[in-house]
Amino acid sequence: YFASSAQMWFKDGGEFEYKSMEADYNIRNKNSDELGAIDALNRMVDDGEEKRPVVLVASGDRYTSDCSIPVITGCPTVLGWHTHEWLWHNSRQFYEEREADERLIYMGTDRELTQKMLEKYNVKYVYIGKHEYEKYPEIQNGILESLGECVYSELCDDGQMIEIIKIASGR
């Protein structure tokens, strides 16, 4: 297994290439648009919080840069990589239910239901970036922002907006 998996990670164009042992290598070198959001989130959550808050990001595929925000910040999320979640919980149903809730939060048009889903998972921050727009093209930014406040936004070189919305507690 090791030989196969090592080739998948390190083989590039027929040649082995060192990729780094650091978890943030791909973000710093291939997906740097998220760096500002990661740094901002780390500053926000490091200020005296006892537990790391839940940050909603769109779930994704294994061994990709999907779900990198929770990896780098150490903040839990609602759902991570599909295959890992399925195997860890020994249930596809677990993943499918949470993915449906995730979709509802990002694309739902019922403000009260969106709020209930955020409360169900104790979500404090909602991250909206490139992967989220790819997976959920009709994100309801207005509804999400009405449930809290935008605490970070950045316009990327490609015109895509990255946002972090802090969900107001007790709404």
Side-chain angles (χ1 to χ4, degrees), residues 1 11 17 50 53 55 65-66 75 82 88 100 103 107 111 132 134 149 157 160 162:
Y1 173 78
K11 195 172 184 178
E17 177 186 338
E50 197 171 306
V55 178
S65 60
D66 300 347
C75 294
H82 174 257
W88 290 333
R103 176 178 285 106
M107 293 182 28
R111 184 181 184 279
E132 287 69 22
E134 288 171 7
E149 67 173 305
D157 293 339
Q160 186 77 55
I162 292 178

Side-chain angles (χ1 to χ4, degrees), residues 59 77-102 120-121:
S59 57
T77 190
V78 173
L79 195 59
W81 286 346
H82 174 257
T83 307
H84 286 149
E85 294 282 359
W86 169 34
L87 293 173
W88 290 333
H89 299 283
N90 197 26
S91 168
R92 290 181 65 99
Q93 181 180 354
F94 172 88
Y95 185 89
E96 290 165 357
E97 287 174 3
R98 285 195 173 217
E99 188 175 42
D101 290 346
E102 176 185 278
K120 176 180 179 180
Y121 296 106

Side-chain angles (χ1 to χ4, degrees), residues 143-159:
I143 289 176
L144 291 167
E145 289 173 6
S146 75
L147 294 169
E149 67 173 305
C150 183
V151 293
Y152 177 85
S153 65
E154 179 181 349
L155 186 61
C156 300
D157 293 339
D158 64 0

Side-chain angles (χ1 to χ4, degrees), residues 22-93:
E22 298 188 27
D24 65 353
Y25 176 84
N26 279 337
I27 292 171
R28 298 209 178 275
N29 294 288
K30 295 183 179 180
N31 195 13
S32 61
D33 289 336
E34 290 184 345
L35 282 175
I38 288 169
D39 291 341
L41 193 55
N42 276 328
R43 282 192 307 275
M44 285 184 262
V45 300
D46 282 343
D47 292 336
E49 292 193 59
E50 197 171 306
K51 285 176 46 177
R52 302 298 272 180
V54 176
V55 178
L56 179 68
V57 300
S59 57
D61 293 327
R62 67 196 188 311
Y63 305 117
T64 65
S65 60
D66 300 347
C67 305
S68 56
I69 303 293
V71 170
I72 305 304
T73 63
C75 294
T77 190
V78 173
L79 195 59
W81 286 346
H82 174 257
T83 307
H84 286 149
E85 294 282 359
W86 169 34
L87 293 173
W88 290 333
H89 299 283
N90 197 26
S91 168
R92 290 181 65 99
Q93 181 180 354

Side-chain angles (χ1 to χ4, degrees), residues 2 10 18-25:
F2 176 76
F10 298 114
Y18 181 70
K19 299 286 189 187
S20 177
M21 294 289 288
E22 298 188 27
D24 65 353
Y25 176 84

